[in-house]
Amino acid sequence: MKYYDDLRSYIDALDDMGDIMHVTREVDGDFEPSAITRRSYEIQSPAPLFHKVAGTEPGFRLFGAPAGLSSRADMPYARVAMSLGLAPGSSGPAIVEALSAARLQPGIPPVRVDSAAAPCQQNILRGDDATLDRFPIPFAHDKDGGRYANTWGTLIVKPPDGKWVNWSIARVMKVDGKRMVGLIVPSQHIGQIWAEWVKTGEPMPYALVQGPAPAISCVSGIPIPAHADEADYIGTLAGAPVSVVRAVSISLDVPATAEIVIEGHVSITRDCQEGPYGEYGGYLGEGSSAQPTFHVETITHRDDPIWPMSVTGRPTDESHTLWAMGLAADALTYLREANLPVTTTWIPEDSTVHWLLVVVPQNWRELLPGVSSEELSQRIGEVLFKTDAMVFIPKVYVVDDDFDPTNLREVVWVLSTRVHPVGRRVVFDNQRVIRLPQCYDEAEYVAGLGAKVVFDTLQSKRHLHASFAQGYPEEIRQRVLDNW
């Protein structure tokens, strides 16, 4: 296992295993990089690294699909695993376990270094020179409201009292060279911090970091408890503190090895239209909303910087790999804290984060004597639907552990044969919903409330599978394999 403390060493490692596609011809600055990246997800090709983007300075590069599925069929989750410092062959459930386990360990706070030791400040742009127009920011999708300056970068903010620091990913659209507009959701941590600045009447300082250590991007996109610093959690994953440096113009620390850092302040009113944007559910966006303006004041960057991007849409992109694993780890942590027997939790990437599988062990009835499968499903729903992360997930399936939840073919087989047509489900009405899941009607979106469901698919008696593994004596199976 190896922790990559900057984006470049991670890209080199992917290149060594044949998982980088070098695009050396010039691509346009509008749609071509995104179209190539989107196709790379859909055919599971190596991640594209664009060396020449029209309209930007020589040496400025774009990097697509940083945590999509690997082109290596023998290690599909390698990009996520390597980003987090895990072995490239790690399974999905192993990654979920690692993310959950790190939440239970003491955090390792970051260490501040001098600016001379911070590659992110090799170049400092102020005033009119600090413009987004210098950088290769393409349109992600044809129907988007603008060029999205943040799809895989980390936003850093802290409340006025400075008691905690939040590192997160939120979509941010470029308005012009000096302005962006970002989606600030009140229930999310960045929204809670922004609301505190609104109360003071002062604009919120922010840093938008592009291309930090891959683990920083990953952890910025997954849920951890409020008032816990992502930097400390990343230190736990890495086994060493994250190196940070004081930003040039604001009182925030930023990752020292980042490619690009944009500094400025966020307005305290929703004064600019953001969207639409093609989201993780797999549909092009429609409509826009008023959101706060991110004013660009200072930009620092490494020599020949690399701007990473995630082009969300139909499976499978970073929303369906890293983010889904983070949500699954959040669910696993809360269920185990409630002393419920859970083997693992998993969100199949092809469900576009609309399904959560809760896998329970064969002996769960011994661990919970007298509890029926319906009662277990009820308890699971009561725990999960109180958590913030479950606002994204409308359907939970409680399943036995006699199949591989990461194998979509097996998932479809289990759900199609074990979900009752009308019964064996626990419905939770009036649950908090947001517009990102695609399954509710307009009245539910307006109210912010809708139904969620836990499907009880647990077998009262385990049935043997009509399969090679379970349908034949061991000596016959071995003879077949020996002579295959």
Side-chain angles (χ1 to χ4, degrees), residues 346-348 351-358 384-385 390-398 415 425-426 437-440 451-455:
W346 185 252
I347 297 173
S351 77
T352 61
V353 199
H354 284 55
W355 296 354
L356 171 69
L357 306 184
V358 177
L384 292 180
F385 293 137
M390 286 299 294
V391 72
F392 298 100
I393 301 174
K395 305 177 186 76
V396 176
Y397 297 86
V398 183
L415 298 189
R425 66 191 67 191
V426 183
Q438 305 294 319
C439 55
Y440 294 100
K452 299 196 173 186
V453 61
V454 179
F455 292 94

Side-chain angles (χ1 to χ4, degrees), residues 40 136 152 183 198 299 310 332 420 469:
S40 80
W152 195 242
L183 186 64
V198 171
I299 300 177
S310 172
L332 182 64
H420 193 279

Side-chain angles (χ1 to χ4, degrees), residues 79-394:
R79 292 182 206 167
V80 176
M82 293 167 66
S83 293
L84 298 170
L86 302 174
S90 299
S91 69
I95 297 171
V96 170
E97 286 285 352
L99 291 172
S100 178
R103 291 173 58 147
L104 306 178
Q105 300 174 28
I108 299 177
V111 171
R112 187 184 295 172
V113 300
D114 186 81
S115 60
C120 70
Q121 294 181 355
Q122 288 174 335
N123 301 272
I124 300 175
L125 308 175
R126 297 183 174 90
D128 292 340
D129 291 332
T131 173
L132 298 173
D133 294 335
R134 287 177 173 266
F135 298 92
I137 305 173
F139 287 95
H141 317 92
D142 185 22
K143 305 299 183 184
D144 288 352
R147 301 175 187 273
Y148 269 79
N150 195 46
T151 56
W152 195 242
T154 294
L155 281 165
I156 300 178
V157 298
K158 63 182 178 182
D161 61 15
K163 288 186 177 179
W164 63 297
V165 181
N166 179 238
W167 291 10
S168 67
I169 292 179
R171 72 190 204 202
V172 179
M173 187 180 83
K174 176 184 174 183
V175 178
D176 54 37
K178 301 294 290 184
R179 292 180 301 158
M180 303 179 290
V181 55
L183 186 64
I184 301 291
V185 178
S187 61
Q188 294 180 341
H189 295 164
I190 189 172
Q192 295 167 19
I193 292 173
W194 180 73
E196 293 187 36
W197 283 98
V198 171
K199 292 177 184 177
T200 70
E202 298 291 332
M204 177 176 71
Y206 79 91
L208 173 54
V209 179
Q210 299 292 347
I216 295 174
S217 300
C218 288
V219 171
S220 299
I222 66 175
I224 67 171
H227 305 288
D229 288 357
E230 283 80 5
D232 296 8
Y233 177 81
I234 294 160
T236 300
L237 288 172
V242 174
S243 295
V244 296
V245 64
R246 178 66 67 172
V248 171
S249 61
I250 53 175
S251 180
L252 288 171
D253 287 340
V254 299
T257 63
E259 295 288 325
I260 302 158
V261 179
I262 302 165
E263 305 173 11
H265 290 79
V266 183
S267 66
I268 57 173
T269 58
R270 298 183 184 269
D271 52 4
C272 193
Q273 289 296 119
E274 185 273 337
Y277 179 72
E279 269 288 358
Y280 68 91
Y283 300 92
L284 292 175
E286 297 178 0
S288 62
S289 62
Q291 299 293 339
T293 300
F294 288 66
H295 294 278
V296 177
E297 296 160 11
T298 304
I299 300 177
T300 70
H301 67 85
R302 296 179 69 151
D303 294 337
D304 299 331
I306 303 170
W307 189 295
M309 63 176 180
S310 172
V311 183
T312 53
R314 287 177 55 175
T316 300
D317 56 56
E318 286 75 16
S319 298
H320 317 117
T321 55
L322 182 279
W323 186 46
M325 291 183 195
L327 295 180
D330 190 70
L332 182 64
T333 303
Y334 283 112
L335 290 171
R336 286 182 174 166
E337 286 179 349
N339 295 316
L340 294 175
V342 179
T343 303
T344 190
T345 53
W346 185 252
I347 297 173
E349 50 258 29
D350 290 272
S351 77
T352 61
V353 199
H354 284 55
W355 296 354
L356 171 69
L357 306 184
V358 177
V359 185
V360 300
Q362 185 170 356
N363 67 339
W364 73 264
R365 289 178 175 84
E366 299 170 21
L367 299 172
L368 296 175
V371 175
S372 69
S373 61
E374 182 180 10
E375 289 171 330
L376 175 58
S377 298
Q378 176 78 33
R379 292 188 190 181
I380 287 171
E382 289 172 351
V383 170
L384 292 180
F385 293 137
K386 292 177 183 178
T387 67
D388 290 336
M390 286 299 294
V391 72
F392 298 100
I393 301 174

